[in-house]
C-alpha cells in the first residue's frame, strides 16, 4: 500500500479537526486532514445557536462552570469543566482573529441566552453560527500551505504498531486505499446521530471514530448519554431541521394541540428547563394525548425581530409552508448530540499512545450526564488546541506491515441492516427506556452482527462500512444504558423510577 508521512494526521474537518490543524501548523509542522466528504461537510456547519463563553459584564467562568455542572447532573469531570470554561474567552478571541464574524456592535458582542444558562453568554452569528465558524476555519486552513486537505478520503482503519498509533488508512476518492503516517494521529470524526431514525445531524455523523477507536483498543464511555433536541421540525418529507433553543430563549412557548402551555405541568423553568427535561416532557405529552407532535408558538413575538434573528429557520419553515410569525411550528424531539465517546485526558490523549481525539467523538468528562447548550463548539476548540499543544515530537513512523483491507457487504444489504438498526434504536433506546426494550435492542444488534458476518463480501462501499460503525456504536449505547443502575442526566429508564 502506498503511504505518505506527515507530522500530524487529522481525521475529520469539523471545528475540532481544523482547529487542531491550524494550531499545529503555527509551529511549522506539516498536517494532513483526511475527511470523508467536502471540507465543510460536518456537524459544525449545521450549528445554529452559538458558542458559550463567560464574556459578559455580569458573568464569570465560575458561573459558567456551575451551569455546566448542573446540566451534567454533577457527574462531569470537574477539571475538564474548569479547563473548558476558563479557556472559553480565549477561544472566542481566536475565532475572531481568524476571521469569524459574530453579532454585536463592534466593541461589544451581542450575547444570547439558552436553556440551563444563568447568564446571557451565547456568542452567535444570527442563527447560523456553525456555518460562519466553519467558513472561517476552513478558509484559514485552505490558505495555509503546511496543511494538506484530502477530501473524499474515508478512513477505514487506524494503524497500530507495537501498541502505538502510527497513522490511518483511507479509501481515497473511492479508487484505492492509501496509508497516512504520523507521530500524532487525531480523531475528530464528530457524532453518531445516524444510529437513530430521526436526527438533526447531517449524513456524515455515522460514529466512525467510535468504531475506529474501539478497534484500536481505546476506552469508550458514557455513550448512553445521548442528547435529544426537544424541538426539531416535524415534517413527513423534510429532514429533522433544528428549531434552535434560542427561539425558546427569545420567548417561544410550547403548546399541545389543545393550545395548553403544557410545560407548566412538568417543570417550573418552563421552556427554558434543560434540554433533557424539555424533550422528556414533550415525549410524555405526546404519549398522553396520543399525538405525533407538539407546537412551538412564536406568534406573539415581534415578527420583524423574529425574521431578523432567525433567517435560516425562517427560510426552512417557509419551504415547509409555515410562516412562524402567524403559524405554530409542529415539533418533535430528535437525536442531536452524543455526550459520550472516546475517553481522553485534558490534553486529548486517548488510552492508545500516538492517538489523540477532540470534539464530539470524545468523552472528555465536560458534559457529564448531559451537555449544556452551546458548550460543544467550545469543547471542540478548547480541547483541540490543548491536544495540538500536547502532541509529541516522536520520530516519524514507518509502515512495517501491510494493512488489511476493510471488508464490506453489498449496499442493498447495508441499507436493510442500517434501517433495522435505526428503527430498533429509536423504538427502544431513545428518550424513554425500559430493561425489556434495551434487551430487545441488544438482541437485534447481535442478530445484525451475525448477519453481517454471514453475508458474502462485496466491493468497498463507504455506506456499508459506516453501517458496521453504526452497529458498533449502537452496542456501546445499549450496553452503557443496561449497565446504568440509576436515572441520571439524559439516561431515563422507566424501570428504575
Ligand atoms: C443542527 C445542529 C445544531 C447544533 N447547534 C449547536 C450550537 O448552537 N452550539 C454548539 O455548541 N453545538 C451545536 N451543535 C453541536 C456541534 O455542532 C457539534 O458538536 C460540533 O460541531 C462537533 O464538531 P466536531 O469537529 O467534533 O465534529 P464535526 O463538525 O461533525 O466534524 C466531523 C468531521 O469528521 C469527518 N469524518 C467522520 N468520519 C470520518 C471518516 N471515517 N473518515 C474521514 N472523515 C470522517 C466528517 O466528514 C466531518 O468532517 C449542533 C449540532 C447540530 C447537528
Amino acid at each position: 500500500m502506498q503511504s505518505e508521512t506527515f507530522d500530524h494526521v487529522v481525521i475529520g474537518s469539523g471545528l475540532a479537526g481544523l482547529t487542531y490543524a491550524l494550531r499545529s501548523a503555527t509551529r511549522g509542522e506539516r498536517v494532513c486532514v483526511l475527511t470523508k466528504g467536502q471540507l465543510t461537510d460536518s456537524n459544525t456547519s449545521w450549528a445554529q445557536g452559538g458558542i458559550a463563553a463567560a464574556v459578559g459584564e455580569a458573568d464569570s467562568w465560575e458561573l459558567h462552570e456551575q451551569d455546566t455542572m448542573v446540566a451534567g447532573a454533577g457527574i462531569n469531570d470537574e477539571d475538564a469543566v474548569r479547563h473548558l470554561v476558563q479557556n472559553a474567552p480565549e477561544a472566542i478571541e481566536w475565532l475572531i482573529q481568524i476571521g469569524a464574524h459574530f453579532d454585536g456592535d463592534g466593541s461589544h458582542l451581542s450575547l444570547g441566552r439558552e436553556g440551563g444558562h444563568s447568564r446571557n453568554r451565547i456568542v452567535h452569528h444570527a442563527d447560523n453560527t456553525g456555518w460562519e465558524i466553519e467558513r472561517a476555519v476552513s478558509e484559514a486552513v485552505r490558505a495555509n500551505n503546511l496543511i494538506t486537505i484530502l477530501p473524499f478520503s474515508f478512513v477505514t482503519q487506524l494503524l497500530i504498531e507495537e501498541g502505538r498509533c502510527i497513522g490511518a488508512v483511507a479509501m481515497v476518492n473511492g479508487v484505492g486505499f492509501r496509508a497516512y503516517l504520523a507521530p500524532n494521529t487525531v480523531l475528530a470524526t464528530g457524532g453518531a446521530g445516524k444510529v437513530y431514525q430521526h436526527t438533526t445531524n447531517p449524513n456524515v455523523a455515522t460514529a466512525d471514530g467510535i468504531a475506529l477507536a474501539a478497534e484500536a483498543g481505546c476506552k469508550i464511555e458514557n455513550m448512553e448519554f445521548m442528547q435529544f433536541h426537544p424541538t426539531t421540525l416535524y415534517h413527513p418529507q423534510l429532514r429533522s431541521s433544528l428549531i434552535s433553543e434560542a427561539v425558546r430563549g427569545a420567548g417561544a412557548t410550547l403548546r399541545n394541540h389543545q393550545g395548553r402551555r403544557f410545560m407548566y405541568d412538568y417543570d417550573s423553568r418552563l421552556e427554558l428547563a434543560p434540554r433533557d427535561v424539555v424533550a422528556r416532557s414533550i415525549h410524555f405529552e405526546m404519549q398522553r394525548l396520543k399525538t405525533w407532535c407538539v407546537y412551538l408558538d412564536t406568534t406573539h413575538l415581534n415578527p420583524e425581530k423574529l425574521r431578523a434573528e432567525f433567517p435560516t429557520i425562517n427560510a426552512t419553515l417557509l419551504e415547509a409552508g409555515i410562516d412562524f410569525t402567524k403559524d405554530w411550528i409542529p415539533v418533535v424531539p430528535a437525536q442531536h448530540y452524543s455526550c459520550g465517546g472516546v475517553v481522553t485526558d485534558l490534553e486529548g490523549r486517548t488510552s492508545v499512545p500516538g492517538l489523540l481525539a477532540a470534539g464530539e467523538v470524545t468523552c472528555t468528562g465536560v458534559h457529564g450526564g448531559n451537555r449544556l447548550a452551546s458548550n460543544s463548539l467550545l469543547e471542540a476548540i478548547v480541547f483541540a488546541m490543548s491536544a495540538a499543544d500536547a502532541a509529541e515530537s516522536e520520530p516519524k513512523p514507518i509502515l512495517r506491515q501491510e494493512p488489511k483491507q476493510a471488508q464490506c457487504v453489498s449496499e442493498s444489504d447495508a441499507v436493510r441492516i442500517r434501517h433495522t438498526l435505526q428503527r430498533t434504536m429509536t423504538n427502544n433506546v431513545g428518550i424513554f427506556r425500559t430493561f425489556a426494550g434495551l434487551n430487545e435492542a441488544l438482541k437485534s444488534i447481535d442478530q445484525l452482527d451475525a448477519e453481517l458476518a454471514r453475508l458474502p463480501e462485496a466491493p468497498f462501499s463507504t455506506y456499508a462500512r459506516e453501517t458496521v460503525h453504526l452497529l458498533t456504536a449502537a452496542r456501546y449505547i445499549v450496553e452503557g444504558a443496561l449497565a446504568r443502575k440509576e436515572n441520571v442526566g439524559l439516561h431515563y429508564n422507566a424501570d428504575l423510577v
Side-chain angles (χ1 to χ4, degrees):
M1 187 178 293
Q2 282 188 349
S3 67
E4 221 177 320
T5 306
F6 294 83
D7 295 309
H8 306 265
V9 167
V10 175
I11 310 167
S13 59
L15 183 55
L18 298 190
T19 299
Y20 181 100
L22 286 166
R23 183 80 159 199
S24 303
T26 56
R27 290 194 299 265
E29 292 161 5
R30 286 180 63 234
V31 185
C32 167
V33 177
L34 300 165
T35 190
K36 67 177 170 177
Q38 315 246 29
L39 186 63
T40 54
D41 284 344
S42 61
N43 275 10
T44 301
S45 295
W46 289 88
Q48 290 185 347
I51 173 164
V55 289
E57 273 165 24
D59 205 357
S60 66
W61 64 259
E62 287 92 341
L63 287 171
H64 189 180
E65 177 181 68
Q66 199 181 321
D67 293 344
T68 303
M69 296 293 297
V70 170
I75 56 168
N76 325 50
D77 178 316
E78 284 180 36
D79 293 338
V81 174
R82 188 155 295 185
H83 184 62
L84 178 86
V85 296
Q86 287 188 333
N87 285 290
E90 199 188 312
I92 303 293
E93 259 174 52
W94 177 75
L95 283 173
I96 294 171
Q97 255 174 35
I98 61 160
H101 300 293
F102 296 116
D103 292 355
D105 65 5
S107 55
H108 282 98
L109 290 166
S110 144
L111 300 173
R113 172 80 77 89
E114 289 187 335
H117 287 275
S118 58
R119 293 287 184 279
N120 283 25
R121 65 166 74 99
I122 313 301
V123 179
H124 57 277
H125 176 96
D127 62 349
N128 56 1
T129 310
W131 177 249
E132 172 58 16
I133 290 176
E134 183 74 17
R135 179 203 61 74
V137 284
S138 56
E139 277 178 17
V141 162
R142 281 196 185 101
N144 194 316
N145 56 18
L146 286 168
I147 304 175
T148 303
I149 306 161
L150 295 173
F152 303 103
S153 297
F154 178 82
V155 172
T156 56
Q157 189 194 337
L158 295 170
L159 289 165
I160 310 291
E161 279 195 5
E162 291 168 5
R164 189 178 171 86
C165 182
I166 59 160
V169 174
M171 166 57 80
V172 183
N173 280 317
V175 292
F177 290 102
R178 278 181 79 106
Y180 296 89
L181 309 179
N184 304 285
T185 302
V186 189
L187 265 184
T189 47
K194 290 287 161 183
V195 165
Y196 291 90
Q197 252 173 335
H198 304 291
T199 175
T200 62
N201 293 188
N203 288 339
V204 291
T206 51
D208 298 343
I210 301 296
L212 294 170
E215 197 190 15
C218 289
K219 238 167 117 180
I220 315 264
E221 277 181 4
N222 283 6
M223 288 298 289
E224 65 277 21
F225 294 127
M226 203 45 86
Q227 188 173 69
F228 288 77
H229 198 285
T231 52
T232 70
L233 177 65
Y234 174 70
H235 192 284
Q237 273 89 44
L238 300 177
R239 63 184 285 275
S240 307
S241 295
L242 185 80
I243 312 296
S244 159
E245 197 136 354
V247 178
R248 276 175 285 133
T253 53
L254 279 164
R255 299 187 183 279
N256 62 26
H257 70 291
Q258 295 159 338
R260 177 166 168 73
R261 195 172 163 192
F262 60 84
M263 282 306 297
Y264 279 115
D265 304 331
Y266 295 97
D267 196 286
S268 59
R269 291 163 290 183
L270 302 173
E271 285 82 2
L272 289 181
R275 280 181 185 178
D276 58 322
V277 176
V278 180
R280 232 174 356 252
S281 308
I282 295 175
H283 178 86
F284 287 140
E285 192 66 5
M286 282 164 37
Q287 281 211 322
R288 191 178 74 81
L289 295 171
K290 300 198 171 31
T291 53
W292 292 108
C293 63
V294 295
Y295 297 88
L296 197 60
D297 179 7
T298 48
T299 55
H300 54 293
L301 303 176
N302 180 316
E304 277 78 43
K305 225 171 145 216
L306 257 185
R307 287 194 206 99
E309 278 180 27
F310 305 109
T312 312
I313 294 173
N314 185 28
T316 307
L317 291 175
L318 286 176
E319 204 185 310
I322 298 163
D323 175 352
F324 70 164
T325 66
K326 296 192 190 108
D327 307 318
W328 292 356
I329 311 164
V331 290
V332 283
Q335 189 285 346
H336 184 53
Y337 183 81
S338 178
C339 294
V342 183
V343 176
T344 69
D345 65 11
L346 293 191
E347 288 163 327
R349 290 184 201 92
T350 70
S351 48
V352 172
L355 181 65
L356 300 150
E360 190 168 338
V361 70
T362 63
C363 177
T364 59
V366 153
H367 306 300
N370 189 7
R371 172 188 72 129
L372 181 66
S374 286
N375 264 354
S376 40
L377 288 171
L378 180 61
E379 184 193 34
I381 299 188
V382 169
F383 284 80
M385 288 218 174
S386 305
D389 293 346
E392 295 170 27
S393 47
E394 290 276 313
K396 296 252 166 73
I398 301 163
L399 190 61
R400 292 201 179 84
Q401 289 163 19
E402 186 65 10
K404 62 178 182 347
Q405 300 206 347
Q407 295 188 342
C408 285
V409 297
S410 73
E411 287 205 350
S412 55
D413 283 324
V415 168
R416 189 174 39 77
I417 289 171
R418 191 187 284 205
H419 286 186
T420 308
L421 175 72
Q422 289 172 330
R423 237 186 350 264
T424 301
M425 292 299 287
T426 301
N427 291 342
N428 300 305
V429 202
I431 296 171
F432 182 86
R433 301 164 179 178
T434 60
F435 281 121
L438 292 172
N439 284 317
E440 176 72 32
L442 196 56
K443 205 168 107 197
S444 170
I445 291 168
D446 284 341
Q447 282 166 353
L448 293 172
D449 263 339
E451 204 181 328
L452 267 176
R454 263 197 322 267
L455 284 165
E457 232 185 278
F460 180 84
S461 141
T462 297
Y463 186 92
R465 277 315 297 172
E466 286 175 344
T467 303
V468 175
H469 296 164
L470 289 172
L471 269 169
T472 305
R475 185 178 291 282
Y476 276 106
I477 300 168
V478 177
E479 286 179 349
L482 278 168
R484 211 155 269 281
K485 297 296 178 232
E486 55 166 355
N487 285 337
V488 60
L490 295 159
H491 176 65
Y492 184 88
N493 180 340
D495 295 331
L496 297 175
V497 177

